[in-house]
Amino acid sequence: MMIRNSIALVTGANRGIGAAMVDAQLAAGAAKVYAAARQPVAHADPRVVPLELDVADPAAIAAAAERAGDVTLLINNAGVLEGGDIFTAGADAVERQLVVNGLAPLRLAAAFAPALRRSQGAIANILSVVALAPMPGLASYSASKALAASLTGSLRASLAGDGVSVHAVFPGPVDTDMAAEIDMPKTSPADVAAAVLAGIEAGDAEIFPDAFARQVAAGWAQDPRAVAAQFAA
Ligand SMILES: NC(=O)c1ccc[n+]([C@@H]2O[C@H](COP(=O)([O-])OP(=O)(O)OC[C@H]3O[C@@H](n4cnc5c(N)ncnc54)[C@H](OP(=O)(O)O)[C@@H]3O)[C@@H](O)[C@H]2O)c1
């Protein structure tokens, strides 16, 4: 699908990659962007419609789908990261991140599926390279992204016959609040957003939007165990 004249909804649109996605879509000629956030923020561009949405709240998702029935592109971006290994993070951390990172994209996809079928639209789920192999220091986050990746694959198959494309995005480290503690080279949110839109327009099922992600993808294609070992180290 083309971004020009699209009507997008971006979750977690108030900062980080989500805010960059909003701006990239405006620059690419989107007709309207619903900027969904727990605390919506005003935007100077009149094409932006701020929308209150806590993605952990299924009733709020249903209300958003009712309000934004003209959406042609759903960007599931909202996410949370809690660090810690499998023992220190604990089951509660797993549960919290599963709700936001794993279940919410599925619930949003289901709620917006009628609109996306009507428009022959698209869904992009912002996952992470740790969906491919876990980083043990981010055990619960990795698990939540792996769940989201699996559901994204099922979603793609289930919507293929309806003309809705589903894109899985696997970024490496990005320079946002979420990665503030991560001491690695980071890509700018603007560059990630541009790569995501280019991937959607190109029809890429899997989008690796930065150099680190592309390096992981190449390694993964050759030897997944080597990537897992690298992440584990
Ligand atoms: N930064 C990285 O290195 C990196 C790498 C790979 C993938 N990602 C993924 O990229 C996505 C965006 O992350 P980011 O780097 O932009 O992080 P960020 O700057 O921390 O932003 C996270 C966004 O998610 C929102 N959010 C969290 N819980 C929410 C909820 N229950 N309902 C609605 N919105 C919620 C936050 O809203 P509030 O302001 O209300 O908290 C914020 O807008 C996430 O899915 C993340 O996992 C990030």
Side-chain angles (χ1 to χ4, degrees):
M1 79 171 286
M2 302 308 289
I3 305 304
R4 178 164 294 283
N5 297 325
S6 64
I7 299 178
L9 184 143
V10 181
T11 64
N14 53 314
R15 59 193 172 97
I17 296 171
M21 289 299 315
V22 172
D23 289 337
Q25 284 166 114
L26 295 172
K32 193 195 284 187
V33 182
Y34 292 100
R38 287 192 280 203
Q39 292 181 319
V41 287
H43 196 288
D45 193 305
R47 289 173 293 167
V48 176
V49 180
L51 194 68
E52 186 175 334
L53 178 58
D54 181 339
V55 301
D57 178 355
I61 291 174
E66 185 85 11
R67 164 80 178 78
D70 53 355
V71 162
T72 65
L73 173 59
L74 170 64
I75 310 274
N76 280 312
N77 164 77
V80 286
L81 181 151
E82 297 181 43
D85 67 22
I86 199 76
F87 299 112
T88 54
D92 290 350
V94 176
E95 194 171 325
R96 281 191 294 273
Q97 288 167 94
L98 282 182
V99 169
V100 175
N101 298 346
L103 299 180
L106 173 66
R107 289 185 171 128
L108 275 139
F112 281 92
L116 296 170
R117 286 191 185 103
R118 274 195 301 277
S119 61
Q120 304 276 281
I123 299 172
N125 288 344
I126 311 295
L127 307 169
S128 164
V129 287
V130 302
L132 300 175
M135 281 196 179
L138 302 175
S140 47
Y141 178 74
S142 300
S144 68
K145 291 294 185 178
L147 173 78
S150 175
L151 291 172
T152 303
S154 294
L155 201 54
R156 181 180 303 119
S158 296
L159 287 172
D162 297 331
V164 179
S165 58
V166 177
H167 307 268
V169 183
F170 299 89
V174 187
D175 193 7
T176 67
D177 297 341
M178 183 176 282
E181 308 290 312
I182 296 174
D183 187 17
M184 287 172 72
K186 295 170 203 166
T187 308
S188 76
D191 284 353
V192 169
V196 171
L197 296 189
I200 292 170
E201 290 200 337
D204 295 340
E206 293 172 336
I207 301 171
F208 296 92
D210 57 88
F212 181 86
R214 284 188 287 277
Q215 190 191 332
V216 170
W220 180 257
Q222 277 194 329
D223 186 355
R225 286 197 181 124
V227 173
Q230 184 194 343
F231 282 11

